[in-house]
Each structure stands twice: as structure tokens, then as C-alpha cells.
Amino acid sequence: MPKYEASAFAPINIALAKYWGKRDARLNLPTNGSISITLDKFGSTTRVIFDETLEADVLVLNGEEVRTPETLRKISIVLDELRSIASTRFARVPCARWRARVLSQNNFPTAAGLASSASGIAALALAASHALGLKLTPERLSELARRGSGSACRSLFDGFVEWKRGELANGSDSVAASLHPASHWDLRALIVVVDAEPKSRSSTGGMTSARNSSPFFQSWIESAQATLGPIRDAIAARNFHALSRAAEENCLRMHACAISASPSLLYWKPATVALIHEARKMRAEGVEVFFTIDAGPNVVIVATAAHAAAARARLEVFLKNSGAALLETSPGRGAYVL
Ligand code: 2P0
């Protein structure tokens, strides 16, 4: 009896040019392109087992079965696509119709705006495609991961990654690719976990709400598309000053769009704002850092390798007795099969 199972690891990623808006919600096609850094060490380890006795796909995350319909829908979209490819390619492979048990473990706080769905879905897409014996191209795998969760299409790739908006209605050109390997630029990411609780609104819901009700949505999209070039160029030239400016501006504009939705999506906590000020203060004093924030309260302080120790020391003093955790990482490799 052949075994239809495989495991994969996929890392988290932090966007410097953010994805915030869908032009097609069913296919997860973005209104704008995005650029991220794939981060080392932190991510999801996911094992997928196709099992003929199951009546529905099952997800066990960090040892607990997940029953949230939105999360289950994300994993079944990816698995259904893979089952459909498997059944057309190998009509006689019985597992192409089987449901799957997905066992996933995150080594960082889940759903705290640290792109948990990005690493989880990327690891799922890679593991499930291997379990079914499908040899998919990186582009096809990225497209599949995107269907489950937009930002997951970036976690498959090494280092500095761009997800193209794409133009086609079927989404086949809306995929990610590596711009540079992790070794291109020795940056450090200091992740300040201000609050490890799951966020109250999902990114999917937040994006829909922003699109439907923020009067600034269109301006955000135009600005987001326009900053892709400067961010790409700053990374290519390793120009930290230019990257700091463009990435902070992009982050604040995304949040301005979220905050101006109705009801307002204010992901920040008081500590988030305090950290924005602290990052600016450090920079004014000559420490090479900038901040970025995803759809949650946590702040990622990006530093050059030469200034990372100084930035970390400053943050440790700043966070003393606050209860906030500080995680340090750097650009890393994309997802891989275990
Ligand atoms: C990003 N975020 O580019 C942006 C910045 C959050 C803020 O991608 O609806 O979980 O599953 O496609 O991928 C989070 O959105 O959303 C996200 P869906 P996803 O990293």
C-alpha cells in the first residue's frame, strides 16, 4: 500500500511593500504587487497525509484541531486544486480523491500579524504536492499557494521576493519570484511581539472592508504600485536610507487605508505607536533601522547587520518589564520539503 504523505517547512515573510486589497477575492488576485523578505528560522512545519477514511479535510494546528470555517476553506482550496491536477494527470491514482489530514506546527505566535497563514499555506502547498507525487514548477506552486492565502505565494522563495500583481483574469501571471537570494544583503529583522493574541479581524475581512469603505482605497493602490520600483531599486542597490523611507511610507499608507475603513481597522496598540517613535528616534541618532507593521499590533524593526546589536540593546531597554517578546532573524531561504 503506497503512502501518500509528505512534510515541508515554510518560513514567514515580512512585506516591505504591502499586499492590501484584492481585485478578485475568489482567486486572491491583488490590486497591487508586493515585495517581502523571507525570514530565517521562524515558520511552519506541515505534514500532509491523504487518507481514504476521511470524509473532510482536517487541520490540526499546534496540536489542536481547527474548526474555523475561514481557515478550513483556505486549506481545502489548495488541496482541491491539487486533487484536481492529480486526477487529470494520473486518473488511476486513488488518493487524488482522498481527503487529507494536515498537521501543522508554528514556531512563533500564531495569527499575531506575523504572517502565520503565509508560512502555513506555503508549507501545505509544497507538502501536499509532494504527497501526491506532482512535480510542479515554482510558478505553479506559487499560484496554488496564493489561492489559499495571498502572502503565502511569497514564502516559497528565497531572500528578497516580489509578487507581481499580474494582468490575466485567470491569475496565472500573479505569482511570486525571488529578486535576490538571502545572501544579497545582511539585514536583521527584530520582531517585537507586542501582543501574541490572535487578531480580532482577519486580513481577508480587513481588505474587503477597506476596499468597500475607505475613501482612500484608490489612492492607496496607486501609491502602492508606485512604490514598488523605488523599493525594488533600493534593495538591488542595498541603499538602506532609500529603503527605510519607502518602506515606512508604504506601511503607514496601508494602515491609513485600514484605519479609514468603516468600521475602522486600527491594528495598533499603544506599544505599536511607541515603537514607531522609538525607531525614528534611533534613526535620528544614527542607528540604521526602520519599522514595518503588518495587519496586527506587532512591529518589525529592520536593521543593517552593523547596527543590529545597537538596535537590539536599545529595544531591550525600551521593552523592559513590558512583557513584549523580541525575536531576531535575518533574510532566509524559502520553503523546502523535509
Ligand atoms: C502583506 N498582509 O503583504 C500584507 C501586509 C497583511 C498586511 O498579506 O486574504 O493573510 O489570505 O490573501 O495573505 C496578510 O494577508 O490574506 C497580508 P489573504 P493574507 O504581507
Side-chain angles (χ1 to χ4, degrees):
M1 174 82 178
K3 267 193 151 183
Y4 298 107
E5 68 168 271
S7 299
F9 174 82
I12 59 171
N13 71 75
I14 180 71
L16 303 183
K18 313 278 186 196
Y19 152 52
W20 193 253
K22 299 173 198 264
R23 66 178 202 276
D24 181 323
R26 191 181 68 83
L27 294 176
N28 261 347
L29 298 179
T31 43
N32 58 284
S34 54
I35 296 176
S36 58
I37 307 179
T38 296
L39 295 174
D40 195 35
K41 288 194 302 212
F42 301 112
S44 308
T45 301
T46 302
R47 182 170 167 216
V48 180
I49 308 145
F50 286 89
D51 179 342
E52 69 176 321
T53 66
L54 291 174
E55 288 181 2
D57 295 322
V58 175
L59 171 65
V60 178
L61 179 59
N62 298 330
E64 279 185 35
E65 186 169 347
V66 176
R67 296 181 193 275
T68 324
E70 191 179 341
T71 308
L72 289 173
R73 193 184 57 85
K74 285 178 185 226
I75 68 156
S76 288
I77 286 173
V78 176
L79 290 166
D80 284 346
E81 280 290 313
L82 286 166
R83 282 186 282 250
S84 150
I85 298 169
S87 61
T88 50
R89 275 207 212 162
F90 324 106
R92 283 163 301 161
V93 174
C95 70
R97 287 183 298 278
W98 296 355
R99 303 291 116 185
R101 189 180 306 282
V102 178
L103 308 171
S104 196
Q105 201 78 31
N106 292 338
N107 62 1
F108 60 91
T110 298
L114 285 180
S116 63
S117 65
S119 56
I121 298 285
L124 165 72
L126 187 58
S129 65
H130 270 258
L132 292 172
L134 299 172
K135 299 223 170 356
L136 303 178
T137 61
E139 293 77 23
R140 190 76 183 93
L141 209 52
S142 183
E143 193 185 343
L144 269 165
R146 187 204 72 224
R147 290 288 311 274
S149 198
S151 52
C153 76
R154 299 186 310 234
S155 274
L156 294 163
F157 300 97
D158 293 350
F160 299 83
V161 177
E162 178 165 3
W163 170 15
K164 298 270 188 207
R165 175 193 187 277
E167 300 300 328
L168 300 173
N170 71 5
S172 57
D173 60 347
S174 184
V175 296
S178 182
L179 294 169
H180 307 279
S183 58
H184 170 70
W185 197 359
D186 189 11
L187 296 177
R188 301 294 153 82
L190 298 160
I191 305 170
V192 186
V193 186
V194 165
D195 184 348
E197 288 301 306
K199 62 193 173 214
S200 51
R201 294 271 292 281
S202 70
S203 294
T204 309
M207 283 185 229
T208 307
S209 169
R211 181 176 188 142
N212 293 340
S213 63
S214 168
F216 309 134
F217 188 77
Q218 199 49 41
S219 308
W220 150 249
I221 296 310
E222 284 159 22
S223 154
Q225 274 298 116
T227 44
L228 287 173
I231 288 183
R232 199 187 297 123
D233 292 348
I235 292 171
R238 299 187 197 93
N239 182 338
F240 195 78
H241 176 71
L243 183 61
S244 304
R245 205 183 144 124
E248 286 191 357
E249 204 167 86
N250 178 280
C251 165
L252 292 173
R253 288 180 180 177
M254 183 210 102
H255 282 274
C257 177
I259 289 167
S260 59
S262 179
S264 178
L265 292 152
L266 178 58
Y267 291 110
W268 300 349
K269 295 278 165 80
T272 315
V273 179
L275 283 157
I276 291 175
H277 287 289
E278 185 63 10
R280 287 180 166 175
K281 199 165 149 212
M282 278 195 251
R283 194 162 60 239
E285 291 167 17
V287 185
E288 285 176 343
V289 289
F290 68 84
F291 67 83
T292 189
I293 307 157
D294 274 353
N298 300 320
V299 180
V300 178
I301 303 286
V302 180
T304 55
H307 289 240
R312 190 186 174 113
R314 279 284 289 269
L315 287 171
E316 279 169 355
V317 172
F318 187 77
L319 298 170
K320 211 169 174 204
N321 303 324
S322 71
L326 183 60
L327 313 172
E328 181 169 345
T329 180
S330 51
R333 69 182 282 206
Y336 51 89
V337 176
L338 294 168

